[in-house]
Each structure stands twice: as structure tokens, then as C-alpha cells.
């Protein structure tokens, strides 16, 4: 073979290899990313021909269904309107997808392997998606939204099944009606409403200073490392220097040497800040990561609608070991620490589950058009955060908070509730971020209210948690 022919041959081989590479990239390796790209309207237009599967609660209520439209296409209707808007999301050709409509799009549109799709077409089968049965509970969701709205403040709540990680309720207030935002003008109007941000899921996207609810994580680290016991005594002196700056207790209360159970029951800042300092940044970082901080939540929900919890400076996550981080104040839920309600509900679920953190999930099962179960959601362990002994000791301490401490407003008749209140101070004029997190029976819960003048976790957040726990039969 002469050289010109050889060069031509090699050129053809290289070009063919490039063609195969690019074809494989778009049809195999990056196919899912291409489908999910919001700029790719072709996929959305194709999906109009498919009768998307229903989305239902675990108790059978329909949250999303397809309705016929002109030209052999289908549209989407949301019978529950605002009630489940943030969890369920929406699916429109004009604006794209969000929520479960996005994260479970493949199942809802019946996307299968290419061979099966071809065979179905040849057999003349209608293009129909699988139904998605969620872990959501209608009564709990209704109670959560009503309680948040009645508070008169923006806020969010998450309730999880302790033994499975299933999301029982996820509420974010204010909400929106997904039936109305298919109109791009309405969608743009809601996007421009930065004061209320109704499209933002405050349960998974917004991080807030968790205040004293963070003391549960600090206590877990203290007990699990065996550096402290529930009866270990620490000074609760008001104005104690932390990182060289005096720290005050809530209401400037002054305490002598108290044990850790008393310190958690009465939410003594100076005790837990000192404990956090003595544990150190390395230990605090390790246990925070075990509880799920510093990582995107492992939830079957769109990545773009979730945020990782942790210390943030300039909008970026910064490890507790960084020299610029005040470990003592992080230990009490301040010091540039931000956490989502989902994260704090996960902390409660982990303690209630004997120290094992589970991956939260919405999926109960998917059912194909012929009524067969295609996939089932199940409990999936993320990590053992603390020992069973530590979880049991901490549970006793948290129950004391509800029996006679700051969380008495969350108490239920005949049911042991374990919890922790939080009142993160946002300024020196009484603007606070009230919290409650805890668990009872098989349910873990976290609730917070935004920028509440004079609000406290015990007075304002704990009663909301109690209402949802009651709705779930706890």
C-alpha cells in the first residue's frame, strides 16, 4: 500500500472513530443528561403524546393525572393544587419539569429500553407511563400546611418514617398552584416574587441557622466519643468566653455547674458551646458528616431543588476545621451554620432509629399500566452515625426536653415525644428563626418558621410539630 492511500485510510479510520465517539456520547453516555436539559424542548414535545402515569399518595389520593388534549396529546392536572405543589412539582412543555415530575420522569413516561419500545410500537400499544405511588400522607400534609399558614409566617416542615426513611409530609409556605403556571407569564411572575419566593421549596432548598436544635448533633458527638456522659457537669455561666468573645444564654440566664441532661433540657448555650470547643473542629466535622451535613441529600428529588447543609461563608461550604469557623458557636447552631428542614428531620430520624441514618425517599412503588409493580421503595441505610447506646441515651435526654424543658408544647397525651427546640437569633432586636425537631413512635419531624419577630421554638414551632404528629396517629 503506497503512502497516500495509507494516509487516506488512516484519516477515514480516525474520522469514523470520532463519529462513533460523538454518536455514543449523545445516544448512550449523555442521553439522560440530554433528556433532562431544560433547553431540550424536543423531549418535552415528544412526551406530550404520552399519557403520563398518575402520582398518588400512599392513601390513594391522586396528586397528578393526565388529561386528553387536541392533536392526540395530553396535559397535566393537579387535583390537590397548592397542597403538594413543592413535592410533586409540575410538567409543562412551556416551562419544563420540577419536583417528582422531574426526578421520576422516566417511570412516569414509561421510558424503557429501545427494544421494548420498538416492540410496543409494532404491537400498537398506547404510550403510557407508570403510576408513582408515594410515601406521602394526605392528612399529615394538610395539617402541616394549615399549621404553617396559620402561623402567619413563611416556613417549612418535613416528616419522615423513622424505620424506612419515607417522606410522610413535606410542606413549604407560601406555595403555588401548579395548575396555573403552565402559562410562561404566570411562571415568570412567580419567579419575580423574590419577597415570597413561592416556587422555592424551603424544606430542601433553603438553609437556615438551626439554633439549639444543633445541640442534638453536638450532644451525639460528645456522648459517642465517650468524652462526656449525660451526667457530666459543665459550667452554664452566662457571658462565658467562646473563641475569645463572651457568649450569653437565652434571656441572659446564669447557671452554675449543671449536667448535660439539664443543659439540653434547658438549652444552655454556654454549656454546649464549651462542649463543642473541647470536642474540636475535626470531631464536629466528622459527626456532622455522619448525620448528612456537607452532602447533597440522598433523596429521589431533583438535584437543583436541594441544598447541602453546613457552615457557609460567601455562599460556599466551609469545613468546621477552617480557622475562620467559630466551632463553639457552630455547636449551638449559630456561627454561619445553615441547615434545611430535611437535614434536621434526618438528624431526628437517625437518633430515633438507633443511630442509623437512612436515605429519605418519596417512592413507595411504581405500577405499570397493566397493574404490575415495577419497582418498590425500601429502607436503605446511608450510614451509622452513632452507636445504639448513644442514640438511646440521647433519646432519654430529648424526652426530658419535652417533659419539662423548652419543648413541652410538643407533648402528646399517652405518647413519649423526644425533641429539641431552637431559637436562632438573627439580630439583636428579637428577630428569630424558631425551630422544633424530634420524634414520636415511628415519625421524625422538623419544622421552622422564617424571620419571626419575638418567636421561639418552644412557643411557635413545637405546637406545629405536635399537630402533624397527631395527624399521623402518634
Amino acid at each position: 500500500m503506497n503512502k497516500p492511500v495509507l494516509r487516506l485510510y488512516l484519516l477515514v479510520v480516525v474520522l469514523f472513530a470520532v463519529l462513533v465517539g460523538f454518536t455514543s456520547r449523545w445516544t448512550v453516555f449523555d442521553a439522560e443528561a440530554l433528556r433532562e436539559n431544560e433547553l431540550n424542548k424536543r423531549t418535552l414535545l415528544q412526551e406530550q403524546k404520552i399519557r403520563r402515569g398518575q402520582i398518588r399518595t400512599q392513601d390513594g389520593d391522586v396528586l397528578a393525572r393526565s388529561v386528553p388534549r387536541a392533536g392526540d396529546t395530553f396535559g397535566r392536572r393537579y387535583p390537590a393544587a397548592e397542597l403538594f405543589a413543592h413535592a410533586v412539582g409540575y410538567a409543562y412543555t412551556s416551562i419544563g419539569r420540577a419536583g417528582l415530575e422531574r426526578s421520576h420522569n422516566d417511570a412516569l413516561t414509561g421510558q424503557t429500553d429501545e427494544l421494548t419500545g420498538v416492540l410496543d410500537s409494532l404491537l400498537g400499544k398506547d404510550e403510557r407511563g407508570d403510576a408513582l405511588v408515594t410515601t406521602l400522607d394526605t392528612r399529615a400534609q394538610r395539617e402541616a400546611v394549615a399549621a404553617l399558614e396559620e402561623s402567619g409566617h413563611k416556613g417549612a416542615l418535613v416528616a419522615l418514617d423513622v424505620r424506612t426513611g419515607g417522606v410522610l409530609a413535606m410542606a413549604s409556605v407560601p406555595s403555588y398552584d401548579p395548575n396555573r403556571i403552565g402559562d410562561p407569564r404566570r411562571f415568570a411572575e412567580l419567579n419575580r416574587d423574590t419577597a415570597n419566593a413561592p416556587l422555592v421549596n424551603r424544606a430542601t432548598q433553603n438553609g437556615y441557622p438551626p439554633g439549639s436544635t444543633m445541640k442534638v448533633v453536638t450532644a451525639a458527638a460528645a456522648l459517642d466519643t465517650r468524652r462526656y456522659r449525660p451526667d457530666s457537669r459543665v459550667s452554664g455561666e452566662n457571658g462565658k468566653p467562646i473563641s475569645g468573645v463572651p457568649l450569653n444564654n437565652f434571656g441572659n440566664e446564669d447557671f452554675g455547674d449543671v449536667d448535660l441532661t439539664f443543659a439540653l433540657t434547658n438549652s444552655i448555650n454556654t454549656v454546649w458551646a464549651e462542649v463543642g470547643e473541647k470536642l474540636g473542629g475535626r470531631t464536629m466535622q466528622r459527626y456532622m458528616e455522619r448525620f448528612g451535613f456537607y452532602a447533597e441529600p440522598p433523596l429521589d428529588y431533583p438535584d437543583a431543588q436541594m441544598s447541602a447543609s453546613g457552615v457557609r461563608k460567601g455562599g460556599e461550604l466551609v469545613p468546621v476545621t477552617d480557622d475562620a469557623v467559630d466551632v463553639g458557636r457552630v455547636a449551638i447552631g449559630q456561627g454561619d451554620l445553615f441547615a434545611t428542614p430535611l437535614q434536621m428531620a434526618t438528624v431526628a430520624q437517625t437518633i430515633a432509629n438507633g443511630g442509623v441514618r437512612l436515605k429519605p425517599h418519596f417512592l413507595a412503588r411504581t405500577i405499570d399500566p397493566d397493574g404490575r409493580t415495577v419497582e418498590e421503595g425500601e429502607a436503605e441505610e446511608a450510614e451509622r452515625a452513632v452507636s445504639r447506646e448513644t442514640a438511646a441515651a440521647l433519646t432519654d435526654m430529648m424526652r426530658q426536653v419535652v417533659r419539662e424543658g423548652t419543648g413541652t408544647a410538643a407533648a402528646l397525651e399517652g405518647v413519649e415525644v423526644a425533641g429539641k427546640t431552637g431559637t436562632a437569633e438573627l439580630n439583636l432586636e428579637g428577630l428569630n428563626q424558631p425551630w422544633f425537631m424530634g420524634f414520636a413512635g415511628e415519625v421524625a419531624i422538623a419544622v421552622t418558621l422564617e424571620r419571626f419577630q419575638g418567636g421561639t421554638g418552644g412557643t411557635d414551632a413545637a405546637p406545629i410539630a405536635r399537630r402533624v404528629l397527631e395527624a399521623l396517629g402518634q
Side-chain angles (χ1 to χ4, degrees):
M1 183 181 295
N2 59 36
K3 288 183 179 180
V5 173
L6 180 59
R7 284 197 295 268
L8 180 60
Y9 171 75
L10 292 174
L11 177 62
V12 170
V13 169
V14 170
L15 291 174
F16 183 74
V18 170
L19 177 63
V20 170
F22 273 98
T23 303
S24 300
R25 177 190 173 190
W26 292 120
T27 60
V28 180
F29 303 113
D30 288 344
E32 184 175 353
L34 186 62
R35 287 199 308 270
E36 290 295 319
N37 191 322
E38 294 183 357
L39 298 177
N40 182 12
K41 299 298 183 184
R42 178 180 177 184
T43 300
L44 293 170
L45 290 169
Q46 290 174 333
E47 288 178 4
Q48 282 189 298
K49 301 282 187 178
I50 300 171
R51 184 188 289 270
R52 291 175 73 87
Q54 290 185 348
I55 300 177
R56 302 198 291 262
T57 63
Q58 61 171 299
D59 37 351
D61 289 335
V62 177
L63 306 181
R65 60 184 174 85
S66 288
V67 292
R69 285 185 173 171
D72 295 325
T73 62
F74 294 92
R76 208 63 165 153
R77 285 289 177 269
Y78 301 95
E82 295 95 341
L83 187 61
F84 288 90
H86 291 97
V88 172
Y90 51 80
Y92 287 104
T93 306
S94 54
I95 60 172
R97 297 180 291 261
L100 294 175
E101 290 275 36
R102 179 170 180 174
S103 58
H104 286 276
N105 185 62
D106 284 359
L108 291 167
T109 56
Q111 290 185 23
T112 56
D113 59 85
E114 293 297 326
L115 179 59
T116 303
V118 171
L119 289 174
D120 286 347
S121 297
L122 291 174
L123 293 172
K125 287 189 176 181
D126 292 335
E127 291 188 277
R128 299 177 63 188
D130 298 338
L132 171 65
V133 180
T134 71
T135 56
L136 292 164
D137 181 284
T138 302
R139 185 179 176 189
Q141 183 76 9
R142 187 175 291 117
E143 199 65 40
V145 171
L148 287 169
E149 289 179 342
E150 288 168 20
S151 76
H153 288 77
K154 305 176 184 70
L157 178 148
V158 175
L160 301 175
D161 187 307
V162 166
R163 305 301 173 194
T164 68
V167 179
L168 303 173
M170 179 178 283
S172 178
V173 170
S175 187
Y176 64 94
D177 185 350
N179 293 297
R180 298 181 58 203
I181 64 170
D183 181 347
R185 290 171 298 181
R186 174 61 177 162
F187 184 68
E189 179 186 336
L190 293 178
N191 262 324
R192 287 194 299 268
D193 185 4
T194 54
N196 294 305
L199 296 180
V200 172
N201 186 348
R202 289 168 163 81
T204 61
Q205 286 178 275
N206 276 16
Y208 306 98
S212 295
T213 58
M214 183 62 185
K215 292 170 185 172
V216 172
V217 177
T218 305
L223 299 179
D224 204 57
T225 56
R226 301 189 178 181
R227 297 274 300 277
Y228 295 86
R229 302 184 308 274
D231 61 357
S232 295
R233 301 185 74 81
V234 178
S235 170
E237 176 189 4
N238 190 55
K240 182 191 297 183
I242 299 294
S243 297
V245 180
L247 176 68
N248 293 324
N249 292 318
F250 190 76
N252 291 316
E253 277 196 275
D254 201 32
F255 300 88
D257 284 358
V258 297
D259 64 45
L260 292 194
T261 297
F262 183 91
L264 194 70
T265 303
N266 294 280
S267 203
I268 304 174
N269 289 338
T270 56
V271 169
W272 293 107
E274 179 181 323
V275 169
E277 270 197 325
K278 289 188 173 178
L279 289 173
R282 192 181 301 274
T283 297
M284 286 297 297
Q285 179 76 25
R286 183 167 76 250
Y287 277 90
M288 287 172 69
E289 289 177 357
R290 288 184 182 183
F291 277 101
F293 287 81
Y294 287 95
E296 188 175 280
L299 178 68
D300 51 335
Y301 195 69
D303 293 346
Q305 292 179 257
M306 295 190 291
S307 297
S309 299
V311 177
R312 288 186 180 272
K313 290 185 179 292
E316 299 296 324
L317 285 171
V318 177
V320 187
T321 52
D322 192 282
D323 290 340
V325 173
D326 185 336
V327 180
R329 285 174 172 77
V330 167
I332 63 169
Q334 302 276 357
D336 296 316
L337 176 64
F338 296 91
T340 64
L342 174 61
Q343 173 60 67
M344 298 317 293
T346 297
V347 171
Q349 176 275 313
T350 303
I351 300 301
N353 194 40
V356 176
R357 176 165 63 92
L358 301 178
K359 294 181 178 181
H361 63 270
F362 284 105
L363 173 67
R365 60 190 176 278
T366 53
I367 302 171
D368 72 14
D370 296 322
R372 296 169 299 198
T373 297
V374 178
E375 182 181 4
E376 287 191 271
E378 56 187 28
E380 186 176 353
E381 182 175 328
E383 186 172 4
R384 173 167 282 285
V386 294
S387 69
R388 183 170 292 277
E389 294 72 24
T390 295
L394 190 49
T395 296
D396 289 339
M397 294 168 71
M398 292 171 68
R399 283 175 175 165
Q400 197 66 12
V401 172
V402 178
R403 286 192 197 113
E404 57 183 59
T406 58
T408 54
L412 294 169
E413 186 175 350
V415 179
E416 283 271 40
V417 179
K420 184 70 193 78
T421 59
T423 304
E425 298 177 2
L426 304 181
N427 64 21
L428 299 177
E429 282 73 51
L431 190 66
N432 298 328
Q433 184 79 27
W435 282 85
F436 180 85
M437 56 86 78
F439 52 91
E442 302 294 305
V443 180
I445 195 165
V447 57
T448 191
L449 299 168
E450 279 186 16
R451 303 178 65 80
F452 198 135
Q453 188 68 40
T456 66
T459 302
D460 301 295
I464 295 174
R466 183 187 65 224
R467 285 178 59 173
V468 177
L469 289 172
E470 285 178 328
L472 286 164
Q474 301 306 306

